[in-house]
Amino acid sequence: MTTVYHNPRCSKSRAALELLRSHQIEFDVVKYLEDPPSEKELQKIVKMLGIKPEQLVRKKEKRFKELGLGDQKLSDRQWIAILAANPSLIERPIVVHGGKAAIGRPTENITELLGQ
C-alpha cells in the first residue's frame, strides 16, 4: 500500500496526489497536520528515506524560528521529538511505497520511488 503524508495547502503535495492518480496507484492520505505521525512513525519514515531527521525539517518555516532551532545542535532523537510535536516543520509531501519513501520535491523523486 502507498501512503502520502499530505498538506492540502501545499502545491507540491497536491501534485504528488495527481502524479499517483495518473499512474493509477491506490494510496492512503495522511493529513499530517491534523493527524501527526508519532515519534516511532517518524523514525521509520526517516529510515526509509535514508536521511538524518534534521534533513526532514523545514528550516524556513516560521515555527522553526519561533522555537529558536537555527543555532542549536540537536541529536537525531531530539529532532524526531521536535517534528512529532511540530508537524508543520515536516518536509512535504512524503510518499511511502513498497517499504521505501521519498520526499516529493521534486516530483521526479516519487516517479523514481514508483519505479516508473
Side-chain angles (χ1 to χ4, degrees):
M1 182 43 108
T2 301
T3 302
V4 181
Y5 290 85
H6 174 62
N7 178 348
R9 295 180 62 199
C10 172
S11 62
K12 297 290 185 191
S13 196
R14 292 190 305 271
L17 299 185
E18 287 305 314
L19 178 70
L20 292 170
R21 287 184 189 114
S22 74
H23 285 88
Q24 300 179 337
I25 305 282
E26 291 186 29
F27 57 91
D28 290 328
V29 173
V30 176
K31 293 182 181 176
Y32 68 92
L33 295 176
E34 298 170 16
D35 184 18
S38 67
E39 289 185 29
K40 188 174 183 178
E41 288 173 298
L42 284 166
Q43 288 170 340
K44 285 170 65 173
I45 290 168
V46 166
K47 186 174 183 179
M48 285 188 278
L49 287 167
I51 63 174
K52 302 286 272 172
E54 184 177 0
Q55 293 174 276
L56 194 58
V57 177
R58 294 177 55 85
K59 295 182 178 179
K60 293 182 181 175
E61 285 291 317
K62 180 181 175 188
R63 186 74 180 136
F64 183 83
K65 291 174 183 69
E66 289 172 352
L67 293 171
L69 296 172
D71 300 326
Q72 296 191 38
K73 239 352 200 175
L74 301 173
S75 69
D76 289 353
R77 192 174 184 175
Q78 288 170 312
W79 280 118
I80 290 286
I82 287 166
L83 289 168
N86 300 277
S88 66
L89 294 178
I90 298 171
E91 188 60 75
R92 61 186 182 253
I94 300 169
V95 177
V96 177
H97 176 81
K100 296 180 182 175
I103 297 172
R105 290 174 180 267
T107 53
E108 289 79 15
N109 292 346
I110 300 168
T111 305
E112 285 180 31
L113 176 70
L114 299 175
Q116 311 253 334

